[in-house]
Amino acid sequence: MKNKSTLLAFILATAASGTTSVWADDKPFSIAIHGGAGTITKAKLTPEQQQSYRDKLTEAVNAGYKVLEKGGDSLVAIQAAINVMENSPLFNAGVGAVYTYDGAHEMDASIMDGKTMNAGAVSGVKHIKNPIKLADAVMNNSPHVMLSGAGAEEFALTQGFTLVPANHFDTESRYKQLQDAKVKLRKAEFELKAKSPDYQASNTAPQIDYLDLDYKFGTVGAVALDKKGNLAAGTSTGGMTAKRFGRIGDSPVIGAGTYAENGVCAVSATGHGEYFIRYHVAGDICARVKYQHKSIIQAADEVINQRLITAGGTGGVIAIDQRGNIATPFNTEGMYRATRKNGEPADVMIWRDM
Ligand code: ASP
């Protein structure tokens, strides 16, 4: 029993129904969010920066929690949380999206409804302020699951979205990250040439995994269980700094970066997308829960801290099960994250211990 008012509600409901089994408010609900995983060392963040992240994560998780507390849908709750993070330059999504190699912003997002198994996704959009909203529109108002680039934006116009100019997403800190990434790329290419004289520089430089550069923090995501027992998951990202050639990561790929299925689990991922796609991370976690009857903690841990580590993939997930249990494993130094369960205060973390 959480507090006096819920106790009173329980007594009244019990008296009215003559039974102790009817108590609508006793349904579990909870939400988890992430703001990206990576080499977030304690030395890298000043106390002020840390506080800014913690404040924004608290605001985001509370925005979603409020929806759930009032009996709202998990789909609405996760979007409320994701919108807060997309509208903050702290995260690599929406206004804080990273730059591509060519100095543009190309965003990906997806959403999944565990009740209907419906899903929507957009990839490579350049003028959408809140890509998660467009993913939701794709899910609800189109016969498709994923729309990309100019076509997705054409669809957005039919849905009443206003396209924002590309420079809406320009930030100094992300621009500096791109310049740093380019310096590292040139250095890597130089070293490669020195090692193998017959190496031919090419546009694609396939030998250099530029995605290994540590410029990929800040993807955002949310998972929630509402009082009706419905699970939902959503993810939104600018992708990876210096990405090229229309590269799409795991975030808009259902089963890789996002997955939700009622009675099983909901997952949103962040990390090196190429691994999350190939290892089908979100779907694999839920499959372990569904078919092997593993707890959400065990299933998520096995995939992130065993399977992915063996493969060389870095990142983490937030995952929630049908009873509102939450797992937030990551195999990187840190992962921005927050959780909130019914009747409890928000729990906001960056590293393993704080
Ligand atoms: N998973 C995202 C991608 O590969 C990046 C991230 O989560 O930080 O595009």
Side-chain angles (χ1 to χ4, degrees), residues 34 36-37 92 108 216-220 237-240 243 247-252 269-274 276:
H34 70 75
N92 171 20
D108 307 329
K216 47 184 187 277
F217 313 133
T219 289
V220 308
T237 188
M240 289 183 161
K243 64 184 182 180
R247 178 262 184 189
I248 306 291
D250 60 311
S251 306
T270 175
H272 195 152
E274 280 63 14
F276 282 68

